[in-house]
Amino acid sequence: MNVESRTLPNGVRVITDRMDSVETVSLGAWVSVGTRYERSDINGVSHLLEHMAFKGTKRRNARAIAEEIEAVGGSVNAYTSRELTVYYATVLKSDEAVAIDIIGDILQNSVFDEGELARERAVVLQEIGQANDTPDDIIFDMFQARAFPDQPMGRPVLGEADIIGAMPRHALIEYMSEHYGAKKLVLAASGNLDPERIADLAETNFGKLRANGVSGYEAARYQGGDVRASRDLEQVHIVLGFEAFRYGDPDYYALSVLSTLLGGGMSSRLFQEIREKRGLAYSIYSFFSPFVDTGMFGVYAGTGEKEVAELIPVLCDEICKVMNGIAEDEMNRARAQMRAGLLMGLESTSSRAEQIARHTALFGRVIPIEELRARIDAVDAEAVRRAARRVFASRPTFAALGPIGHVEPFERIAQRISV
């Protein structure tokens, strides 16, 4: 990677990664704000604001934004998470000025027209409805809410329908003014680019952004527990999880390896034991979701109404086994998968832009690939067992959705994996 970084006088961090062998540039603004920064009465404002940013500025209406980026064959989009809101574009190498100008415009000059807001509220309500009709989406909202009840970390990214339906224009304006400051923004670009030109364009388009936007968030308070919802579905959807580690924890990479070998691929323990050997699920996988002050580790599975009675004990048994013994060939496969994913990501301008932006936002620097590979290679079986014991010692969080009559009691599940 050929990374250069600089900071504008107002605090915007500009990170570039030059790739001479490609014809495109991926770039965007990574803003350190998301769902966990929201008050309960405006839950979903981060995501709604992301939508509204494309609905017109002082210089462009919504159609002009779409037409201008597509006139050069580019694309522009955005997403919201619990800790970040990202606005990004991919264009040909000669058109980065267009992309930076549009992103700078929508983040500083959006007008939040009342008519556009009414239409976009309706669009987001449709999005919420679609998520509610998708059980393998809604189960994770149930899981997150049970793990972190009555606090921003547990609220849904899309927001609640009644809150979104009544969200006033001034709530978006105030939220953007409070959180979208220069010191919370990273402008990252990767591809066939000139770092000096990107820096000049950043200064032109973001140099006057206010340096505020340093408001904090409520610390996460993990509680765990049990949540179930009976619904007339073909499958039972379950998530079993635990409090895990924040970014930067000494066992961060060990837990990443654990997630890979437990449920990260076709050779993983859960896939082989639960799907291949027993035929109990079509979809089963593990996940590790770190945040700045905590994290979540868990397993998702979709299974039949009767099969769930066998699946849960087997799942708990595999969790217990991984704390006691890990074969060297498992370790080698897991590390190889992680190294390959890291290196394959280097072939994508968008992946590289995402990586350098996240590193800068979270750690204040871009971690070199060589250092990342060394950290992965340094993980041994004892480190994975240590990470497993740390994670599985926490109170579990269990969520179930669908025909749940054969799902055993929470206390029994917790007993199976007590350490």
Side-chain angles (χ1 to χ4, degrees):
M1 297 178 74
N2 188 6
V3 176
E4 295 187 27
S5 63
R6 65 201 73 199
T7 302
L8 302 184
N10 63 349
V12 171
R13 289 161 290 177
V14 182
I15 315 297
T16 58
D17 177 18
R18 185 167 181 167
M19 301 170 63
D20 293 335
S21 61
V22 299
E23 296 297 320
T24 61
V25 175
S26 292
L27 57 87
W30 277 255
V31 188
S32 295
V33 64
T35 309
R36 69 176 309 182
Y37 289 77
E38 301 169 351
R39 301 190 315 268
S40 59
D41 62 310
I42 55 169
N43 175 217
V45 68
S46 299
H47 177 252
L48 182 59
L49 178 56
E50 170 226 307
H51 276 242
M52 284 301 299
F54 294 97
K55 299 306 172 184
T57 71
K58 297 173 184 177
R59 295 166 47 199
R60 301 174 171 96
N61 60 25
R63 180 166 183 167
I65 293 171
E67 289 182 344
E68 192 167 337
I69 193 72
E70 292 185 358
V72 296
S75 62
V76 63
N77 211 331
Y79 70 84
T80 306
S81 69
R82 299 190 185 279
E83 296 183 332
L84 286 171
T85 308
V86 181
Y87 304 82
Y88 60 95
T90 298
V91 292
L92 295 176
K93 62 184 181 182
S94 59
D95 298 314
E96 67 264 45
V98 175
I100 293 179
D101 179 69
I102 288 175
I103 292 174
D105 190 24
I106 65 176
L107 293 188
Q108 296 171 86
N109 301 310
S110 288
V111 295
F112 303 113
D113 176 78
E114 288 281 11
E116 292 285 359
L117 177 57
R119 283 187 289 274
E120 211 56 30
R121 279 195 298 253
V123 169
V124 174
L125 290 175
Q126 292 292 328
E127 188 176 358
I128 293 172
Q130 180 177 343
N132 288 334
D133 285 342
T134 309
D136 53 352
D137 283 347
I138 198 66
I139 188 69
F140 281 95
D141 279 347
M142 293 171 56
F143 170 77
Q144 191 78 16
R146 181 61 267 175
F148 300 99
D150 304 317
Q151 56 189 292
M153 182 61 85
R155 296 180 191 130
V157 172
L158 298 183
E160 301 287 351
D162 57 342
I163 296 176
I164 295 299
M167 188 80 71
R169 177 176 181 268
H170 68 80
L172 279 74
I173 295 173
E174 291 168 3
Y175 189 80
M176 191 170 211
S177 176
E178 181 179 2
H179 294 286
Y180 277 62
K183 293 182 179 179
K184 297 186 74 170
L185 190 146
V186 174
L187 180 69
S190 180
N192 196 329
L193 54 81
D194 177 357
E196 292 296 331
R197 175 166 167 76
I198 296 295
D200 290 343
L201 290 169
E203 178 65 46
T204 299
N205 290 279
F206 290 92
K208 295 181 179 179
L209 183 64
R210 299 185 311 277
N212 65 346
V214 294
S215 55
Y217 53 84
E218 183 178 325
R221 305 180 310 279
Y222 177 83
Q223 293 187 31
D226 184 65
V227 58
R228 305 172 186 220
S230 180
R231 187 181 290 188
D232 184 16
L233 300 171
E234 292 296 320
Q235 283 195 311
V236 183
H237 300 264
I238 66 167
V239 178
L240 175 62
F242 309 82
E243 185 176 25
F245 313 145
R246 61 174 177 83
Y247 288 107
D249 186 278
D251 283 330
Y252 172 90
Y253 290 95
L255 190 58
S256 299
V257 172
L258 172 62
S259 182
T260 301
L261 68 85
L262 181 64
M266 293 176 64
S267 66
S268 68
R269 291 189 177 196
L270 293 178
F271 193 94
Q272 285 295 312
E273 184 67 26
I274 290 178
R275 174 170 164 161
E276 297 296 279
K277 181 178 177 180
R278 301 174 184 262
L280 294 175
Y282 171 73
S283 178
I284 184 163
Y285 59 85
S286 58
F287 61 89
F288 171 32
S289 303
F291 303 104
V292 296
D293 59 347
T294 186
M296 291 299 298
F297 180 90
V299 174
Y300 162 83
T303 188
E305 179 179 1
K306 295 182 179 178
E307 286 81 358
V308 72
E310 181 182 353
L311 185 148
I312 290 176
V314 175
L315 168 58
C316 294
D317 189 45
E318 291 300 319
I319 286 173
C320 293
K321 285 180 182 178
V322 82
M323 288 185 281
N324 298 319
I326 300 170
E328 188 59 30
D329 61 336
E330 285 185 292
M331 290 293 302
N332 290 336
R333 283 197 303 270
R335 287 189 297 246
Q337 283 181 262
M338 292 180 63
R339 286 193 300 267
L342 180 67
L343 296 176
M344 289 176 184
L346 297 178
E347 300 180 1
S348 164
T349 57
S350 58
S351 293
R352 287 171 72 145
E354 177 84 27
Q355 179 172 307
I356 63 176
R358 281 183 170 270
H359 284 185
T360 303
L362 290 167
F363 308 115
R365 70 183 181 103
V366 177
I367 303 175
I369 295 298
E370 295 76 15
E371 182 178 339
L372 293 172
R373 291 185 64 178
R375 292 185 180 186
I376 293 169
D377 290 340
V379 175
D380 58 18
E382 178 52 38
V384 173
R385 287 194 296 270
R386 181 180 64 245
R389 289 192 293 266
R390 284 182 62 192
V391 167
F392 300 140
S394 72
R395 186 184 190 217
T397 301
F398 181 77
L401 175 68
I404 57 175
H406 294 277
V407 179
E408 64 186 29
F410 174 72
E411 293 76 13
R412 179 59 178 143
I413 297 171
Q415 185 181 34
R416 289 183 184 278
I417 50 180
S418 59
V419 297

